[in-house]
C-alpha cells in the first residue's frame, strides 16, 4: 500500500529538564516511529517559535516538554500551525528502564489506542481524544513502521486526570502485560491556536504545584503552632499560683480540749541534793588491782 497519512510529530523539550524527562522523551520517540527530534529550546524564546521549528522540520504535530524550577514538568500537545493545543501537568513519570516490566513489543510496530468511555461524553475530552489519535497513532504504511499490531496505548480518566499506559498483547491468550512508560496528565487549559490563542477550556479542578507546596507548608506550620500553644499553656499552668484549699470546719469536731493546768510560780530556791558517796567504790578499785597482779604473775 501507499503511505498516504503523512503525520509527523516533533518531540523535543526546553532546557533545564531532568534525567527522567529526558528518558521519557526518548521512550516516546522509540514507540512512535513517525516522530522527529530537535535540539532543546532556550527558555527565553517564546512558544510561538515552535510553530516555525515544526515548519522547518516538516512536522504538523508537536509534543513539547517544558520544565520549570527543575521539578515541575509541563507537556504541550499541539496541532501546528493553526491549533488547537493543550497544556498538561505531567506527574508520576516512570520510564521503560525504570520499571523493568516483563512486557516487550516489536520496535516500530503500530499501536492500538484504547480510550475511556468518558472521552465521548464531554466536549473537551472529545477534542483531546481526536488530538491523541492524530499524535500517538502510527500512520499506516509508514516507512519506519512494522506491519504488526502488538501493543496498546490506553488513556483512562480517573480523579480528573488522564492516565497513560502501554500494554503488550500476548498472542496466546490475548492477555495484556504492561511495557511502559507510564505517566499521568493533569489538564490545565485547551487553547484555540497553537501554543496560545483564546482559551477554549480551563480545568476548574487544577491546582498548581506552587499552591500545592504552599498548602503543605501551611499545614506543617499550623501543626507546629498548635504544639507551641500547648507548651505555653502548660508552662502557664505550672507557673500560676496554686489556690490553697480552705480548712475543713468539721475536722475539729472529735477533738477534746486538754485540761488547763494552773500556773505555779516558785519563789524559793530549791534545796540542793546531798552528794551520796558510793560505798562500793574502794572495793571495786581493790578488785582491779588484784586482777592486774594476777595477770602479771601469770
Amino acid at each position: 500500500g501507499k503511505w498516504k497519512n503523512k503525520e509527523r510529530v516533533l518531540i523535543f523539550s526546553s532546557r533545564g529538564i531532568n534525567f527522567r524527562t529526558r528518558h521519557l522523551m526518548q521512550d516516546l520517540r522509540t514507540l512512535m516511529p513517525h516522530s522527529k527530534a530537535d535540539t532543546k529550546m532556550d527558555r527565553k524564546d517564546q512558544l510561538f517559535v515552535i510553530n516555525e521549528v515544526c515548519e522547518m522540520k516538516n512536522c504538523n504535530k508537536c509534543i513539547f516538554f517544558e520544565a520549570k524550577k527543575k521539578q515541575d514538568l509541563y507537556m504541550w500537545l499541539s496541532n501546528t500551525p493553526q491549533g488547537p493545543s493543550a497544556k498538561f501537568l505531567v506527574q508520576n513519570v516512570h520510564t521503560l528502564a525504570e520499571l523493568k516490566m516483563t512486557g516487550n513489543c516489536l520496535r516500530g510496530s503500530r499501536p492500538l489506542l484504547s480510550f475511556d468511555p468518558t472521552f465521548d461524553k464531554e466536549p473537551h475530552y472529545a477534542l483531546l481524544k481526536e488530538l491523541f489519535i492524530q499524535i500517538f497513532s502510527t500512520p499506516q504504511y509508514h516507512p519506519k513502521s512494522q506491519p504488526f499490531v502488538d501493543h496498546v496505548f490506553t488513556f483512562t480518566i480517573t480523579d480528573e486526570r488522564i492516565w497513560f499506559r502501554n500494554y503488550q498483547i500476548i498472542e496466546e491468550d490475548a492477555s495484556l502485560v504492561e511495557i511502559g512508560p507510564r505517566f499521568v496528565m493533569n489538564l490545565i487549559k485547551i487553547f484555540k491556536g497553537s501554543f496560545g490563542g483564546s482559551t477554549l477550556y480551563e480545568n476548574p479542578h487544577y491546582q498548581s504545584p506552587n499552591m500545592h507546596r504552599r498548602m503543605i507548608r501551611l499545614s506543617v506550620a499550623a501543626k507546629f503552632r498548635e504544639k507551641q500553644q500547648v507548651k505555653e499553656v502548660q508552662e502557664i499552668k505550672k507557673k500560676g499560683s496554686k489556690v490553697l484549699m480552705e480548712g475543713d470546719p468539721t475536722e475539729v469536731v472529735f477533738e477534746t480540749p486538754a485540761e488547763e493546768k494552773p500556773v505555779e510560780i516558785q519563789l524559793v530556791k530549791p534545796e540542793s541534793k546531798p552528794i551520796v558517796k558510793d560505798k562500793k567504790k574502794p572495793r571495786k578499785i581493790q578488785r582491779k588491782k588484784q586482777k592486774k597482779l594476777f595477770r602479771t604473775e601469770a
Side-chain angles (χ1 to χ4, degrees):
K2 292 184 179 180
W3 176 34
K4 296 180 180 180
N5 181 16
K6 299 192 177 183
E7 295 278 355
R8 298 181 182 89
V9 183
L10 180 64
I11 303 176
F12 72 118
S13 68
S14 64
R15 296 192 181 278
I17 61 173
N18 54 12
F19 71 96
R20 183 173 280 113
T21 307
R22 187 171 64 251
H23 290 177
L24 173 64
M25 190 167 54
Q26 189 61 39
D27 293 343
L28 290 178
R29 289 172 183 168
T30 305
L31 293 172
M32 300 164 62
H34 60 293
S35 64
K36 288 188 176 183
D38 195 20
T39 57
K40 295 178 181 178
M41 195 181 76
D42 197 355
R43 295 181 189 175
K44 297 179 181 179
D45 295 339
Q46 298 293 329
L47 294 178
F48 296 104
V49 181
I50 300 176
N51 295 325
E52 299 179 3
V53 177
C54 292
E55 187 177 356
M56 288 187 293
K57 288 285 184 178
N58 195 19
C59 297
N60 51 4
K61 299 291 184 295
C62 180
I63 300 178
F64 178 68
F65 292 95
E66 184 180 8
K68 291 184 179 179
K69 294 186 177 181
K70 294 185 179 181
Q71 55 183 347
D72 302 330
L73 177 63
Y74 297 90
M75 183 172 68
W76 287 82
L77 299 179
S78 177
N79 181 21
T80 58
Q82 297 178 356
S85 60
K87 185 179 181 181
F88 300 90
L89 174 68
V90 183
Q91 300 170 324
N92 301 335
V93 177
H94 297 281
T95 59
L96 281 168
E98 182 182 356
L99 290 175
K100 297 181 180 179
M101 299 258 181
T102 57
N104 193 10
C105 65
L106 182 66
R107 184 186 179 95
S109 61
R110 300 180 65 218
L112 293 175
L113 299 185
S114 174
F115 291 94
D116 194 274
T118 314
F119 278 97
D120 298 326
K121 296 179 182 178
E122 299 185 19
H124 61 280
Y125 282 136
L127 178 61
L128 290 178
K129 178 181 178 181
E130 185 63 29
L131 195 61
F132 290 152
I133 290 172
Q134 295 183 14
I135 290 177
F136 288 98
S137 62
T138 303
Q140 192 175 12
Y141 304 118
H142 191 278
K144 293 184 180 179
S145 67
Q146 300 291 337
F148 301 102
V149 178
D150 59 352
H151 62 111
V152 185
F153 289 161
T154 62
F155 298 89
T156 310
I157 297 174
T158 307
D159 194 20
E160 305 297 335
R161 292 172 174 83
I162 301 173
W163 301 65
F164 176 86
R165 296 289 186 270
N166 181 22
Y167 296 97
Q168 177 198 359
I169 303 173
I170 299 177
E171 295 181 0
E172 287 79 9
D173 54 354
S175 60
L176 299 179
V177 179
E178 189 172 357
I179 304 172
R182 58 160 68 169
F183 54 90
V184 179
M185 295 179 287
N186 191 0
L187 178 63
I188 302 174
K189 286 183 180 181
I190 299 176
F191 300 96
K192 184 178 181 180
S194 178
F195 296 97
S198 59
T199 303
L200 298 178
Y201 175 79
E202 185 174 359
N203 188 6
H205 306 284
Y206 171 72
Q207 187 182 40
S208 64
N210 293 332
M211 183 60 67
H212 181 66
R213 288 190 286 265
R214 181 173 178 270
M215 295 298 291
I216 293 174
R217 288 196 300 269
L218 288 176
S219 64
V220 173
K223 290 181 181 178
F224 179 75
R225 281 197 300 270
E226 186 178 354
K227 289 182 180 178
Q228 290 295 110
Q229 289 175 359
V230 172
K231 286 183 180 179
E232 290 176 0
V233 171
Q234 290 176 352
E235 290 177 359
I236 291 171
K237 286 182 179 180
K238 289 179 181 178
K239 293 180 180 179
S241 59
K242 296 181 179 179
V243 181
L244 297 175
M245 297 294 292
E246 297 180 357
D248 189 2
T250 61
E251 284 184 358
V252 295
V253 171
F254 298 100
E255 291 182 2
T256 55
E259 296 180 358
E260 294 183 0
K261 294 181 179 181
V263 180
E264 295 180 357
I265 299 173
Q266 192 173 2
L267 300 175
V268 183
K269 183 180 179 182
E271 295 180 359
S272 59
K273 294 180 180 180
I275 300 172
V276 180
K277 292 184 179 180
D278 188 6
K279 295 180 181 180
K280 297 181 180 180
K281 193 172 183 180
R283 293 180 182 178
K284 291 179 180 179
I285 295 170
Q286 192 175 0
R287 285 177 184 174
K288 287 182 180 179
K289 288 181 180 180
Q290 288 178 359
K291 285 181 181 181
K292 286 182 181 180
L293 289 170
F294 179 74
R295 289 174 183 171
T296 52
E297 289 177 359

